[in-house]
Amino acid sequence: MKEKQFIVLNSAILYVIAFLLTTIFHELGHALAGAHFGAHPILHHNYVDYLSINQLHAIKKVYISLAGPLVSLLQGILAGWVFLKVKRQTLFKLFLLWFSILGLTNFFGYLMTGPLFQEGDIGKVYQLLSTPLVWQIVIAVAGAAVLFYAAFKMTVPLLQFSYKPVWVSDAKSRKQFALYILIFPWLIGATLVTILYLPVIAVVSIIYPFSSGMIFIFPWKNAKRVNNIRCSKEVGIGKLSAVLYVLLIILIIVFRGVLAPGITF
């Protein structure tokens, strides 16, 4: 039983690390684009302030708004590519899986919610470009389709982190293992991320850590349907990792102590 507890803990820590890095890179994309166009950005832990963005041309504001989601998309693609290249089912490979899916979730999630949240990155783009609602809906549906497909494709890679055949031997055991490596880490990680996001700048900052992970329900449900899982020979995922604790603490210090007060570009 202790092994599965460590799996939950390790996966949750990796989720938080991947989530915070996704947030940092996303906001850094906005900040760098803002600096390039002379908006004088101030980079914070989960948002960017601009000292002089109002005088910019609309198309420059579009580029700034798109920069964050596009960085997340690039992150998702590159991390996914590296994930496929790594053969051993190590903690690093599990991080790559989280890092990839969170990057994709960020980008395609914005496409999904663009018509609903006008203050979001894609929502702002729609306003600036006066995008017809019908096209917003088409893009949202396409984004949802890609995101759900990516979520379903997570099922087998996640189950392959099991190093005991009994954990993935039947439908019930596979679903339970997915609960330990996917659902519990998401819920625990989202709670910690929400706390680290405080104080609330926008309501979406509180909603996002939990709502973005709703797609993980699909690969969890799908776990009972897949068969012939190739088990891992790596047992590190079921052991306590002091390195993860150190990395998490360092990242939290940077996130809250350095970025939260703001860095002017």
Side-chain angles (χ1 to χ4, degrees):
M1 184 62 182
K2 185 174 292 187
E3 288 175 289
K4 287 188 175 180
Q5 291 175 345
F6 284 140
I7 289 174
V8 172
L9 185 59
N10 288 336
S11 189
I13 292 175
L14 289 172
Y15 173 90
V16 174
I17 292 174
F19 201 107
L20 295 183
L21 287 176
T22 299
T23 301
I24 291 171
F25 289 143
H26 177 99
E27 301 303 341
L28 183 61
H30 288 307
L32 291 176
H36 176 73
F37 290 115
H40 300 99
I42 302 176
L43 174 65
H44 296 276
H45 59 319
N46 62 348
Y47 67 99
V48 179
D49 273 332
Y50 302 95
L51 299 179
S52 52
I53 194 173
N54 292 331
Q55 77 274 18
L56 294 182
H57 189 277
I59 195 63
K60 291 183 178 180
K61 294 180 182 178
V62 168
Y63 291 145
I64 293 172
S65 293
L66 284 177
L70 289 177
V71 167
S72 296
L73 176 61
L74 182 61
Q75 167 193 315
I77 294 172
L78 290 179
W81 179 76
V82 177
F83 172 85
L84 294 175
K85 294 295 182 180
V86 176
K87 301 303 180 183
R88 297 170 58 191
Q89 310 301 107
T90 60
L91 289 171
F92 175 64
K93 187 169 184 177
L94 181 56
F95 163 77
L96 288 172
L97 183 58
W98 278 126
F99 199 46
S100 176
I101 196 64
L102 287 174
L104 296 176
T105 299
N106 191 291
F107 177 77
F108 290 106
Y110 268 114
L111 296 186
M112 285 175 56
T113 60
L116 301 175
F117 296 101
Q118 295 185 344
E119 292 304 312
D121 293 339
I122 299 301
K124 290 178 182 177
V125 172
Y126 290 154
Q127 288 188 76
L128 290 166
L129 297 179
S130 300
T131 306
L133 181 59
V134 63
W135 282 112
Q136 295 183 36
I137 294 174
V138 169
I139 294 172
V141 171
V146 173
L147 190 55
F148 289 136
Y149 175 77
F152 271 111
K153 296 297 287 186
M154 285 181 66
T155 308
V156 172
L158 276 170
L159 294 178
Q160 287 178 338
F161 281 96
S162 170
Y163 53 85
K164 290 187 177 181
V166 68
W167 288 348
V168 290
S169 60
D170 55 45
K172 183 179 180 180
S173 61
R174 287 192 296 272
K175 192 175 179 182
Q176 185 182 56
F177 183 74
L179 192 69
Y180 281 98
I181 198 171
L182 177 64
I183 300 299
F184 287 157
W186 157 47
L187 294 175
I188 295 170
T191 300
L192 179 55
V193 168
T194 300
I195 294 172
L196 293 173
Y197 265 27
L198 295 175
V200 179
I201 302 301
V203 176
V204 69
S205 298
I206 295 298
I207 298 175
Y208 179 67
F210 285 99
S211 62
S212 64
M214 295 297 290
I215 62 162
F216 300 144
I217 295 174
F218 293 94
W220 170 54
K221 291 284 188 179
N222 191 44
K224 63 183 180 182
R225 300 185 180 92
V226 298
N227 295 296
N228 302 318
I229 299 298
R230 184 178 69 253
C231 289
S232 169
K233 296 181 180 179
E234 303 290 334
V235 300
I237 191 175
K239 295 181 178 180
L240 182 66
S241 175
V243 174
L244 289 187
Y245 283 98
V246 173
L247 290 176
L248 178 61
I249 292 172
I250 292 174
L251 187 55
I252 289 176
I253 291 173
V254 172
F255 193 74
R256 293 296 309 182
V258 178
L259 292 175
I263 299 176
T264 303
F265 279 70

